[in-house]
Amino acid sequence: LSHIRTARGAPVERVLVHGLSIGGGAACALGVRHPGLRVTLDQTFASMHAVSAHVGKGLYEQVVLSKAPRWSRSFLRAIAPCAVWLAAWLVVALAFRPPSAAERHAPHCAVLDRLDNVGKAGRMRGDLFVFFAEQSMPRRRAVSPSSPRAHPRSSETRHDEMMPHHFAERLLAARYGRSQPELLQARSLCVPGGHCSFFGDVPELRARYKAYLNQSGFLP
């Protein structure tokens, strides 16, 4: 970023950083350190704890519930939210040490905040745009009793297996608040497919993102 600003002589308001998946952590950190910088987050997480809990929920269902004795499953389902939250907290606490008092305010990009993107989004001053992914998966309807043939396939929407859509909602709400739903809708786009699907493969999404960049004054 320093090279771009020095070599091109561009003010920070004329620079946009695009963070994909875990790269959203670095993009958010730059957005906080450089007020006015434009940030696009592409299928990234709300916080490391949030994504750990989301992934952990699936693992809990596959590893714990599916293999537990039938008589214990009701109890294990009841404690699942607390168990998953605590396990995610422990994983993040062990993997990321908390910052010292000096490091908490250190002037560098790699802030030791356990990748709290929501917290950083709330401290940004530049424009924020968010992509999130969803995929439509085919499912079969029940077979009609009056017919031996199944009904045609319909589709159901499943969220990104790594970064569910509510991460995008939380990031935008942290930056702009929840009082302007039209603004939040205008600054987000849903990308079809699984995690890390490319919005540029869809002409309509390319056009809508370009329109946003035009309307926000980034592109002429």
Side-chain angles (χ1 to χ4, degrees):
L1 179 58
S2 297
H3 172 74
I4 292 173
R5 295 183 62 187
T6 302
R8 298 293 183 90
V12 69
E13 294 80 9
R14 298 298 303 160
V15 180
L16 183 149
V17 295
H18 188 122
L20 173 64
S21 191
I22 198 169
C28 285
L30 286 169
V32 171
R33 187 179 175 191
H34 300 276
L37 182 71
R38 295 171 183 265
V39 177
T40 291
L41 301 178
D42 196 342
Q43 304 163 65
T44 195
F45 48 90
S47 67
M48 188 52 62
H49 178 266
V51 74
S52 297
H54 175 67
V55 174
K57 180 181 177 182
L59 292 175
Y60 186 87
E61 293 172 352
Q62 295 173 17
V63 177
V64 179
L65 288 179
S66 65
K67 299 182 184 300
R70 184 167 298 177
W71 58 266
S72 66
R73 290 179 185 173
S74 295
F75 171 74
L76 292 173
R77 286 193 183 94
I79 68 169
C82 292
V84 170
W85 188 95
L86 179 60
W89 182 86
L90 287 172
V91 168
V92 174
L94 292 171
F96 297 88
R97 69 176 178 84
S100 66
E103 290 169 332
R104 193 179 301 275
H105 304 289
H108 54 72
C109 180
V111 180
L112 296 175
D113 63 354
R114 293 175 173 171
L115 299 179
D116 179 12
N117 286 348
V118 169
K120 288 194 279 283
R123 302 195 301 275
M124 289 182 190
R125 293 296 175 264
D127 238 22
L128 176 63
F129 192 93
V130 180
F131 288 101
F132 62 96
E134 287 187 339
Q135 53 187 343
S136 294
M137 301 294 291
R139 63 179 173 87
R140 291 187 181 275
R141 296 179 179 175
V143 178
S144 170
S146 61
S147 171
R149 300 180 62 186
H151 289 286
R153 285 190 173 188
S154 60
S155 64
E156 62 180 359
T157 300
R158 295 183 179 179
H159 302 310
D160 182 338
E161 64 276 12
M162 290 291 293
M163 314 292 183
H165 73 93
H166 63 79
F167 285 2
E169 295 171 0
R170 290 177 60 189
L171 289 162
L172 287 169
R175 172 64 184 89
Y176 297 110
R178 297 185 181 274
S179 61
Q180 306 178 70
E182 298 84 4
L183 178 67
L184 301 186
Q185 185 175 5
R187 279 172 165 73
S188 64
L189 282 176
C190 176
V191 184
H195 187 57
C196 286
S197 297
F198 180 41
F199 76 92
D201 290 335
V202 184
E204 180 185 356
L205 296 184
R206 289 203 308 267
R208 290 176 63 183
Y209 186 54
K210 183 179 179 181
Y212 152 74
L213 294 176
N214 288 132
Q215 293 166 7
S216 65
F218 184 71
L219 292 180

PDB file of all heavy atoms in Angstrom, residues 107-121:
ATOM      1  N   PRO A 107       1.644   0.401  15.719  1.00  0.00           N
ATOM      2  CA  PRO A 107       1.285   0.866  14.370  1.00  0.00           C
ATOM      3  C   PRO A 107       1.720  -0.100  13.280  1.00  0.00           C
ATOM      4  O   PRO A 107       2.607   0.190  12.490  1.00  0.00           O
ATOM      5  CB  PRO A 107       2.040   2.196  14.273  1.00  0.00           C
ATOM      6  CG  PRO A 107       3.263   1.967  15.094  1.00  0.00           C
ATOM      7  CD  PRO A 107       2.831   1.088  16.247  1.00  0.00           C
ATOM      8  N   HIS A 108       1.138  -1.283  13.234  1.00  0.00           N
ATOM      9  CA  HIS A 108       1.461  -2.209  12.151  1.00  0.00           C
ATOM     10  C   HIS A 108       0.189  -2.941  11.738  1.00  0.00           C
ATOM     11  O   HIS A 108      -0.826  -2.909  12.431  1.00  0.00           O
ATOM     12  CB  HIS A 108       2.553  -3.206  12.556  1.00  0.00           C
ATOM     13  CG  HIS A 108       2.244  -3.970  13.817  1.00  0.00           C
ATOM     14  ND1 HIS A 108       1.278  -4.954  13.878  1.00  0.00           N
ATOM     15  CD2 HIS A 108       2.776  -3.889  15.060  1.00  0.00           C
ATOM     16  CE1 HIS A 108       1.227  -5.452  15.100  1.00  0.00           C
ATOM     17  NE2 HIS A 108       2.107  -4.824  15.837  1.00  0.00           N
ATOM     18  N   CYS A 109       0.260  -3.613  10.591  1.00  0.00           N
ATOM     19  CA  CYS A 109      -0.932  -4.233  10.007  1.00  0.00           C
ATOM     20  C   CYS A 109      -1.362  -5.473  10.771  1.00  0.00           C
ATOM     21  O   CYS A 109      -2.557  -5.723  10.933  1.00  0.00           O
ATOM     22  CB  CYS A 109      -0.660  -4.599   8.543  1.00  0.00           C
ATOM     23  SG  CYS A 109      -2.034  -5.384   7.690  1.00  0.00           S
ATOM     24  N   ALA A 110      -0.412  -6.267  11.243  1.00  0.00           N
ATOM     25  CA  ALA A 110      -0.735  -7.545  11.870  1.00  0.00           C
ATOM     26  C   ALA A 110      -1.120  -7.336  13.336  1.00  0.00           C
ATOM     27  O   ALA A 110      -0.366  -7.621  14.255  1.00  0.00           O
ATOM     28  CB  ALA A 110       0.449  -8.502  11.762  1.00  0.00           C
ATOM     29  N   VAL A 111      -2.305  -6.771  13.553  1.00  0.00           N
ATOM     30  CA  VAL A 111      -2.795  -6.501  14.902  1.00  0.00           C
ATOM     31  C   VAL A 111      -3.135  -7.824  15.583  1.00  0.00           C
ATOM     32  O   VAL A 111      -3.781  -8.688  14.998  1.00  0.00           O
ATOM     33  CB  VAL A 111      -4.038  -5.596  14.854  1.00  0.00           C
ATOM     34  CG1 VAL A 111      -4.537  -5.312  16.262  1.00  0.00           C
ATOM     35  CG2 VAL A 111      -3.706  -4.300  14.129  1.00  0.00           C
ATOM     36  N   LEU A 112      -2.702  -7.973  16.824  1.00  0.00           N
ATOM     37  CA  LEU A 112      -2.962  -9.213  17.557  1.00  0.00           C
ATOM     38  C   LEU A 112      -4.331  -9.136  18.246  1.00  0.00           C
ATOM     39  O   LEU A 112      -4.431  -8.994  19.467  1.00  0.00           O
ATOM     40  CB  LEU A 112      -1.850  -9.457  18.580  1.00  0.00           C
ATOM     41  CG  LEU A 112      -0.455  -9.676  17.992  1.00  0.00           C
ATOM     42  CD1 LEU A 112       0.587  -9.783  19.094  1.00  0.00           C
ATOM     43  CD2 LEU A 112      -0.432 -10.918  17.122  1.00  0.00           C
ATOM     44  N   ASP A 113      -5.382  -9.192  17.454  1.00  0.00           N
ATOM     45  CA  ASP A 113      -6.740  -9.127  18.008  1.00  0.00           C
ATOM     46  C   ASP A 113      -7.516 -10.410  17.718  1.00  0.00           C
ATOM     47  O   ASP A 113      -8.739 -10.422  17.737  1.00  0.00           O
ATOM     48  CB  ASP A 113      -7.498  -7.929  17.447  1.00  0.00           C
ATOM     49  CG  ASP A 113      -7.682  -8.017  15.932  1.00  0.00           C
ATOM     50  OD1 ASP A 113      -7.119  -8.945  15.311  1.00  0.00           O
ATOM     51  OD2 ASP A 113      -8.392  -7.166  15.373  1.00  0.00           O
ATOM     52  N   ARG A 114      -6.800 -11.506  17.428  1.00  0.00           N
ATOM     53  CA  ARG A 114      -7.421 -12.797  17.110  1.00  0.00           C
ATOM     54  C   ARG A 114      -8.358 -12.683  15.916  1.00  0.00           C
ATOM     55  O   ARG A 114      -9.402 -13.312  15.849  1.00  0.00           O
ATOM     56  CB  ARG A 114      -8.142 -13.354  18.345  1.00  0.00           C
ATOM     57  CG  ARG A 114      -7.159 -13.722  19.457  1.00  0.00           C
ATOM     58  CD  ARG A 114      -7.826 -14.171  20.727  1.00  0.00           C
ATOM     59  NE  ARG A 114      -6.828 -14.657  21.683  1.00  0.00           N
ATOM     60  CZ  ARG A 114      -7.091 -14.954  22.947  1.00  0.00           C
ATOM     61  NH1 ARG A 114      -8.315 -14.804  23.414  1.00  0.00           N
ATOM     62  NH2 ARG A 114      -6.142 -15.397  23.743  1.00  0.00           N
ATOM     63  N   LEU A 115      -7.955 -11.844  14.962  1.00  0.00           N
ATOM     64  CA  LEU A 115      -8.652 -11.688  13.676  1.00  0.00           C
ATOM     65  C   LEU A 115     -10.130 -11.335  13.869  1.00  0.00           C
ATOM     66  O   LEU A 115     -11.017 -11.963  13.299  1.00  0.00           O
ATOM     67  CB  LEU A 115      -8.497 -12.952  12.831  1.00  0.00           C
ATOM     68  CG  LEU A 115      -7.055 -13.318  12.461  1.00  0.00           C
ATOM     69  CD1 LEU A 115      -7.019 -14.605  11.645  1.00  0.00           C
ATOM     70  CD2 LEU A 115      -6.386 -12.196  11.685  1.00  0.00           C
ATOM     71  N   ASP A 116     -10.369 -10.317  14.655  1.00  0.00           N
ATOM     72  CA  ASP A 116     -11.731  -9.836  14.907  1.00  0.00           C
ATOM     73  C   ASP A 116     -12.119  -8.845  13.808  1.00  0.00           C
ATOM     74  O   ASP A 116     -11.974  -7.628  13.961  1.00  0.00           O
ATOM     75  CB  ASP A 116     -11.799  -9.184  16.287  1.00  0.00           C
ATOM     76  CG  ASP A 116     -13.190  -8.642  16.599  1.00  0.00           C
ATOM     77  OD1 ASP A 116     -14.140  -8.965  15.859  1.00  0.00           O
ATOM     78  OD2 ASP A 116     -13.323  -7.893  17.589  1.00  0.00           O
ATOM     79  N   ASN A 117     -12.624  -9.357  12.693  1.00  0.00           N
ATOM     80  CA  ASN A 117     -12.967  -8.488  11.570  1.00  0.00           C
ATOM     81  C   ASN A 117     -14.159  -7.589  11.862  1.00  0.00           C
ATOM     82  O   ASN A 117     -14.220  -6.459  11.373  1.00  0.00           O
ATOM     83  CB  ASN A 117     -13.253  -9.336  10.325  1.00  0.00           C
ATOM     84  CG  ASN A 117     -11.997  -9.907   9.715  1.00  0.00           C
ATOM     85  OD1 ASN A 117     -10.889  -9.509  10.068  1.00  0.00           O
ATOM     86  ND2 ASN A 117     -12.151 -10.856   8.813  1.00  0.00           N
ATOM     87  N   VAL A 118     -15.122  -8.065  12.637  1.00  0.00           N
ATOM     88  CA  VAL A 118     -16.271  -7.229  12.979  1.00  0.00           C
ATOM     89  C   VAL A 118     -15.821  -6.015  13.791  1.00  0.00           C
ATOM     90  O   VAL A 118     -16.262  -4.891  13.553  1.00  0.00           O
ATOM     91  CB  VAL A 118     -17.332  -8.045  13.746  1.00  0.00           C
ATOM     92  CG1 VAL A 118     -18.400  -7.133  14.345  1.00  0.00           C
ATOM     93  CG2 VAL A 118     -17.998  -9.054  12.824  1.00  0.00           C
ATOM     94  N   GLY A 119     -14.939  -6.268  14.758  1.00  0.00           N
ATOM     95  CA  GLY A 119     -14.430  -5.155  15.547  1.00  0.00           C
ATOM     96  C   GLY A 119     -13.699  -4.136  14.699  1.00  0.00           C
ATOM     97  O   GLY A 119     -13.855  -2.918  14.876  1.00  0.00           O
ATOM     98  N   LYS A 120     -12.921  -4.617  13.723  1.00  0.00           N
ATOM     99  CA  LYS A 120     -12.196  -3.693  12.845  1.00  0.00           C
ATOM    100  C   LYS A 120     -13.143  -2.972  11.893  1.00  0.00           C
ATOM    101  O   LYS A 120     -12.951  -1.798  11.602  1.00  0.00           O
ATOM    102  CB  LYS A 120     -11.115  -4.456  12.074  1.00  0.00           C
ATOM    103  CG  LYS A 120      -9.934  -4.864  12.954  1.00  0.00           C
ATOM    104  CD  LYS A 120      -8.742  -5.308  12.141  1.00  0.00           C
ATOM    105  CE  LYS A 120      -8.864  -6.732  11.661  1.00  0.00           C
ATOM    106  NZ  LYS A 120      -8.589  -7.723  12.691  1.00  0.00           N
ATOM    107  N   ALA A 121     -14.171  -3.665  11.415  1.00  0.00           N
ATOM    108  CA  ALA A 121     -15.132  -3.014  10.516  1.00  0.00           C
ATOM    109  C   ALA A 121     -15.814  -1.840  11.211  1.00  0.00           C
ATOM    110  O   ALA A 121     -16.106  -0.817  10.589  1.00  0.00           O
ATOM    111  CB  ALA A 121     -16.173  -4.023  10.042  1.00  0.00           C
TER     112      ALA A 121
END
